[in-house]
């Protein structure tokens, strides 16, 4: 089990190493959806000083979403206009993708003065074999963190359930 603080510390480390990728912290999606979708709650999260021109350059940000007690990762492939849900329990929560698409449309209008069409965004949910599958109910935070790390470092998803405790210890050692 990893709590929000540990995951957010890991995300901060990933963002220091990231080139064209940005990983949002664990509170982004929660804040966006706190009382139903509300762009104003997160509109300032991508001020130019905090997140330079990623939206205009169409780079690939990763977004960590939390729904109830389960962590998933949504990857926005900006150039391809594709959102992909990575869920190590293989849930089918398309509403997370739809909400991120709505957020991106608002971001483009607010930050770039551009009108993006939501129907042009392709949405996909990763299938077994595309990403590692967790077997326990408490390992999603580690799986999501490892998938985000692989994306930031442009690597394949190589972690497996048998090495999850080692990965958890490695994360905590790097954070501390």
């Amino acid at each position: 089990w990893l709590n929000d603080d540990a995951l957010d510390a890991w995300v901060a480390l990933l963002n220091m190493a990231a080139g064209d990728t940005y990983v949002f912290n664990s509170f982004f999606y929660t804040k966006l959806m706190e009382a139903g979708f509300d762009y104003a709650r997160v509109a300032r999260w991508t001020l130019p000083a905090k997140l330079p021109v990623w939206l205009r350059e169409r780079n690939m940000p990763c977004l960590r979403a939390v729904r109830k007690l389960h962590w998933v990762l949504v990857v926005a492939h900006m150039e391809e206009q594709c959102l992909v849900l990575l869920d190590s329990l293989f849930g089918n929560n398309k509403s997370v993708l739809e909400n991120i698409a709505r957020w991106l449309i608002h971001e483009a209008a607010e930050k770039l003065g551009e009108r993006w069409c939501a129907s042009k965004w392709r949405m996909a949910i990763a299938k077994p074999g595309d990403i590692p599958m967790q077997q326990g109910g408490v390992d999603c935070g580690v799986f999501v963190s490892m998938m985000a790390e692989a994306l930031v470092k442009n690597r394949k998803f190589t972690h497996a359930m048998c090495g999850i405790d080692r990965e958890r210890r490695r994360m905590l050692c790097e954070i501390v």
Side-chain angles (χ1 to χ4, degrees):
W1 181 269
L2 294 176
N3 66 21
D4 294 351
D5 294 329
L7 287 169
D8 289 339
W10 182 254
V11 165
L13 290 174
L14 289 180
N15 283 330
M16 283 191 272
D20 65 350
T21 304
Y22 183 81
V23 183
F24 282 85
N25 73 25
S26 65
F27 299 105
F28 172 78
Y29 190 77
T30 302
K31 196 73 170 165
L32 177 68
M33 299 304 298
E34 210 164 51
F37 182 90
D38 186 354
Y39 173 75
R41 286 194 178 103
V42 295
R44 296 180 51 89
W45 285 44
T46 56
L47 291 175
K50 286 189 174 184
L51 193 58
V53 300
W54 66 269
L55 194 60
R56 183 170 301 286
E57 294 177 2
R58 309 293 198 270
N59 289 325
M60 185 183 73
C62 304
L63 306 145
R64 180 174 313 212
V66 182
R67 56 182 170 84
K68 298 186 181 163
L69 292 176
H70 182 56
W71 297 90
V72 300
L73 189 68
V74 174
V75 182
H77 297 278
M78 302 305 287
E79 288 181 353
E80 295 88 5
Q81 291 186 318
C82 178
L83 296 172
V84 181
L85 176 68
L86 306 176
D87 182 349
S88 57
L89 286 177
F90 299 105
N92 187 6
N93 194 340
K94 196 164 187 172
S95 67
V96 174
L97 294 172
E98 291 164 351
N99 290 325
I100 297 299
R102 286 177 66 191
W103 170 74
L104 284 168
I105 302 304
H106 282 274
E107 279 287 284
E110 181 77 22
K111 307 290 178 15
L112 304 175
E114 295 178 7
R115 292 187 63 160
W116 289 4
C117 181
S119 65
K120 291 187 178 183
W121 282 82
R122 192 169 52 86
M123 296 182 197
I125 298 173
K127 297 174 182 64
D130 294 340
I131 61 172
M133 182 178 179
Q134 76 181 71
Q135 295 168 352
V138 298
D139 298 315
C140 55
V142 179
F143 272 81
V144 165
S145 296
M146 295 299 99
M147 287 187 284
E149 180 182 35
L151 288 164
V152 165
K153 295 180 177 179
N154 202 23
R155 296 182 186 158
K156 291 187 184 255
F157 302 131
T158 58
H159 56 287
M161 197 68 211
C162 61
I164 205 71
D165 288 332
R166 183 187 69 247
E167 292 298 331
R168 183 181 285 108
R169 284 190 299 276
R170 180 180 70 86
M171 286 175 62
L172 293 175
C173 285
E174 288 187 31
I175 290 167
V176 177

